[in-house]
Amino acid sequence: MDSVTSEQRPALHSTADNGLKIVVVGGFGVGKTTMVRSVSEIRPLNTEETMTQAGEGVDDTVGVAAKTATTVAFDFGRISLDAHNILYLFGAPGQERFWFLWDRLFSGTLGAVVLVDTRRLADSWYAIDRLEHHGTPFVVACNDFGGPAHTAEQIRDALDLADEVPLVFCDARSRESSKQVLITLVEHLQSVVAQEPTPQPIPEPAP
């Protein structure tokens, strides 16, 4: 399915007053830039650079040998949930040499999408580890690259996912599919908040 071009998308509504930061993370070449680009209402900011011979022997291109460009900082896009609430989307770089940027991108993040290529599941372990380290709620989205079919149970076992972490399948090229991933994340965040214990009032000191 062709993605919708940014020129067809609306400007930010003047009543928007609540911005929520979301990070899209995952291994090298799993489709993070594609997802941000497909779902963003604005022309997304991309920091893609052409891959050169300088990266040979540094970047692991197994399974993505045809890739010619790579994100070197982050991607940025935006999508409105309603007239007052918007999501700011940050796509993190996938190569190991840029992982030092992740902790800064996670600062102030409400939640995250871990985008997965099921042909290279091991590439997702670092992203999941860092999110769990930061205590950031996340969902796992399996991007369709046409590889061997895996059941949700097989993927959960391979990634050692907790039962409460949502797992969905998507096509990052499709705006509607990517939007459903974000909706799943927002619903998950709402359930996490609902399960948090209500703060108990501090008792008044005895006279």
Side-chain angles (χ1 to χ4, degrees):
M1 182 183 297
D2 294 334
S3 60
V4 179
T5 60
S6 58
E7 287 78 4
Q8 297 172 309
R9 298 167 185 160
L12 179 62
H13 200 287
S14 60
T15 59
D17 53 17
N18 190 23
L20 311 174
K21 182 180 178 181
I22 300 297
V23 174
V24 182
V25 295
F28 182 42
V30 296
K32 301 179 294 296
T33 296
T34 299
M35 173 171 280
V36 173
R37 182 181 294 149
S38 69
V39 79
S40 179
E41 296 172 340
I42 61 173
R43 182 187 296 276
L45 168 65
N46 298 131
T47 56
E48 283 195 315
E49 296 292 342
T50 301
M51 297 178 65
T52 66
Q53 290 183 339
E56 293 183 5
V58 178
D59 296 328
D60 183 3
T61 58
V62 175
V64 288
K67 190 172 174 62
T68 59
T70 183
T71 299
V72 297
F74 61 87
D75 304 308
F76 174 77
R78 188 198 74 208
I79 183 171
S80 298
L81 294 180
D82 53 42
H84 296 279
N85 299 286
I86 55 177
L87 296 182
Y88 292 114
L89 308 175
F90 291 82
Q95 304 100 304
E96 184 175 352
R97 58 192 168 114
F98 295 125
W99 284 352
F100 70 93
L101 295 170
W102 285 23
D103 287 346
R104 287 189 175 272
L105 282 176
F106 289 167
S107 178
T109 296
L110 181 69
V113 174
V114 178
L115 200 58
V116 169
D117 178 351
T118 55
R119 302 169 302 174
R120 300 179 288 123
L121 286 172
D123 291 355
S124 306
W125 292 342
Y126 181 79
I128 292 173
D129 177 74
R130 297 312 299 166
L131 290 169
E132 291 178 341
H133 173 76
H134 283 271
T136 303
F138 64 93
V139 301
V140 173
C142 298
N143 196 11
D144 182 12
F145 283 92
H150 298 281
T151 66
E153 290 74 17
Q154 289 172 330
I155 296 171
R156 282 189 174 278
D157 288 342
L159 297 178
D160 194 24
L161 290 182
D163 292 339
E164 63 270 17
V165 176
L167 173 69
V168 296
F169 294 86
C170 72
D171 182 344
R173 300 167 297 178
S174 164
R175 183 170 192 257
E176 187 58 35
S177 182
S178 297
K179 182 178 178 180
Q180 287 302 314
V181 172
L182 297 177
I183 290 173
T184 300
L185 174 59
V186 171
E187 291 174 345
H188 177 53
L189 295 174
Q190 290 173 338
S191 69
V192 169
V193 171
Q195 293 171 12
E196 292 180 349
T198 302
Q200 298 298 314
I202 301 175
E204 295 289 336

